[in-house]
Amino acid sequence: MLEDLKAKNAAWSRGKTEVDPQFFKRLENQQSPEYLWIGCSDSRVPANEIVGLDPGELFVHRNVANLAPPQDANYLSVLQFAVDVLKVRHVILCGHHGCGGVLATMEGGTQGPVDRWLANARDVLHRHQDEIDAQPDQAAKVNRLVEVNVMEQLRHLARLDTIQKAFAEKRELWLHGWVYDIRDGHIKTLLEIDADTDLDGMVRPDKVLV
Ligand code: CO
């Protein structure tokens, strides 16, 4: 079963050691990534690949619609470990245009675990309903909700104890809200937050930089 994948794995491993014989030896004992990636599970958005990073360079958490719900122990544990133990310098929360999870949030009709999971994204939609409705077509509505969702999730993340404690201790830590365009593979910055950012002063979540 899945012999093709195992063959690809063997070729990949061989290729890595041909270029750098110590590659796996170095990674065996420790990882020291500078970045935490929080992204969507979508197969078209493979975290390491789209930012050109090797194993060991990116700590990754992915879920449907790149949400950061404050009650999700999985995401909170990844964040805590990345910031407190691995001491990453950058947390990147990356959404993507054409996101199926965001589309499902808009269209409704979901059931079971997916429906419960998307409750967090529905809250974002309700808070920005007017802006989303004002977009010219369905694709534009989805893509704007994708962007607003990234900014809201990042603001929630920034308020967590893990992050506020790191900021208070003057640790080097920056938070980035990105959107990836699956049409051309490019990333755009939507929001950046550091220790000096006035979270309460952000009346709207879209202090768009680019
Ligand atoms: Co998605």
Side-chain angles (χ1 to χ4, degrees):
M1 298 276 276
L2 301 181
E3 290 308 320
D4 52 338
L5 293 191
K6 283 183 261 180
K8 281 180 196 241
N9 165 252
W12 173 79
S13 165
R14 219 168 26 245
K16 281 286 177 201
T17 41
E18 271 167 20
V19 174
D20 177 0
Q22 298 303 312
F23 184 76
F24 291 107
K25 263 267 159 290
R26 263 203 322 279
L27 288 177
E28 196 179 331
N29 295 323
Q30 76 172 75
Q31 58 168 342
S32 54
E34 272 196 42
Y35 317 93
L36 165 63
W37 175 278
I38 299 171
C40 184
S41 299
D42 194 302
S43 65
R44 297 167 295 178
V45 195
N48 281 68
E49 196 170 335
I50 63 174
V51 286
L53 291 177
D54 265 329
E57 295 184 320
L58 188 66
F59 201 61
V60 174
H61 176 76
R62 293 169 68 181
N63 61 46
V64 172
N66 44 270
L67 302 182
Q71 73 280 12
D72 177 21
N74 182 359
Y75 141 70
L76 293 175
S77 307
V78 168
L79 184 72
Q80 182 189 18
F81 186 73
V83 172
D84 289 347
V85 180
L86 296 175
K87 308 234 182 288
V88 298
R89 289 155 52 89
H90 302 274
V91 176
I92 299 160
L93 195 149
C94 187
H96 67 100
H97 289 159
C99 182
V102 169
L103 175 63
T105 302
M106 274 180 42
E107 292 191 328
T110 47
Q111 295 174 343
V114 168
D115 188 60
R116 288 194 291 280
W117 176 250
L118 291 177
N120 195 268
R122 274 195 297 274
D123 289 346
V124 176
L125 172 60
H126 293 151
R127 276 195 296 278
H128 298 271
Q129 192 78 57
D130 292 347
E131 183 184 353
I132 304 302
D133 288 346
Q135 301 298 318
D137 55 42
Q138 179 78 343
K141 288 180 207 284
V142 170
N143 291 346
R144 187 56 192 156
L145 182 54
V146 162
E147 296 181 356
V148 169
N149 182 49
V150 164
M151 293 185 275
E152 287 240 2
Q153 302 301 330
L154 193 70
R155 289 201 317 159
H156 290 155
L157 184 151
R159 291 182 184 280
L160 294 174
D161 286 349
T162 297
I163 300 297
Q164 287 299 314
K165 194 161 127 287
F167 282 162
E169 291 171 1
K170 309 270 184 233
R171 281 191 254 158
E172 295 200 328
L173 182 65
W174 292 270
L175 314 179
H176 312 264
W178 287 0
V179 65
Y180 173 79
D181 194 330
I182 48 174
R183 292 168 302 188
D184 61 13
H186 286 140
I187 285 167
K188 183 173 78 172
T189 299
L190 299 170
L191 176 68
E192 293 192 320
I193 295 174
D194 63 18
D196 297 326
T197 304
D198 175 14
L199 290 173
D200 296 322
M202 282 184 180
V203 179
R204 289 168 57 87
D206 49 351
K207 190 181 143 201
V208 177
L209 297 178
V210 175

